[in-house]
Amino acid sequence: MKRSAGVTAAAIVLMAGSAFALLFTALGLIGITWVSTAGPQANFPRQMLILVILIYALFLCVEAFGIFTGFGLLRLKNWARITTIVFAVFIILQSLMSTLLFFVIPLPAEPHVPPHLNLVLLAVMTGCGLFFLGIGVWWLVLFTRR
């Protein structure tokens, strides 16, 4: 069976996005570990550090699995198609919920921040949410049809 251009593009987007997320999660893990052990002034509870490390480890595993799934898509594996559908549903739900939350939860008004900055932040975050919503819908449509 020949792989379509859409499947190839979806696999590349999945692998690139997962690699990008993996990099930033690893940097976040390094950062939180470094900050929490910066000395007694850090005042970071040990149990909280363990919980944060476990959450970051879970994210790293999901992101590594995303890269692995991208390679499975390139090889036209059915499990990779199903996994991408699951990823698409999670992306759609997450982007819808986070975008709606930006409109429901007001941003705090800081005295030293220009008032239009909150509108710019809202526009950027809405654009990001809609971007990921589009990717999720694209994958859902692409991988649920014959």
Side-chain angles (χ1 to χ4, degrees), residues 23 30 35 40 47 58 66 72 78 80 84 86 90 98 101 104 120 124-126 132 141:
L23 171 68
I30 291 167
V35 166
Q47 295 84 1
L58 175 67
N78 192 47
T84 306
V86 172
F90 281 129
S98 63
L101 282 177
V104 174
V120 171
V124 169
M125 299 315 280
T126 301
F132 287 108
V141 168

Side-chain angles (χ1 to χ4, degrees), residues 32-57:
I32 195 73
T33 305
W34 180 70
V35 166
S36 67
T37 58
Q41 73 274 12
N43 198 19
F44 204 83
R46 182 110 177 114
Q47 295 84 1
M48 182 63 80
L49 177 63
I50 292 170
L51 178 65
V52 169
I53 288 173
L54 289 174
I55 291 170
Y56 272 93

Side-chain angles (χ1 to χ4, degrees), residues 2 25 69 93 99 110-112 117 124 126 134 136 139 143 145:
K2 187 168 168 50
T25 301
T69 301
L93 292 175
T99 303
E110 297 289 331
H112 61 283
L117 193 61
V124 169
T126 301
W139 288 354
F143 293 110
R145 61 188 178 134

Side-chain angles (χ1 to χ4, degrees), residues 125-141:
M125 299 315 280
T126 301
C128 289
L130 293 175
F131 173 76
F132 287 108
L133 178 66
I135 289 176
V137 170
W138 169 44
W139 288 354
L140 196 60
V141 168

Side-chain angles (χ1 to χ4, degrees), residues 20-31 55-57 59-60 63:
F20 190 68
L22 189 85
L23 171 68
F24 279 97
T25 301
L27 290 174
L29 181 59
I30 291 167
I55 291 170
Y56 272 93
F59 287 164
L60 289 170
E63 292 154 359

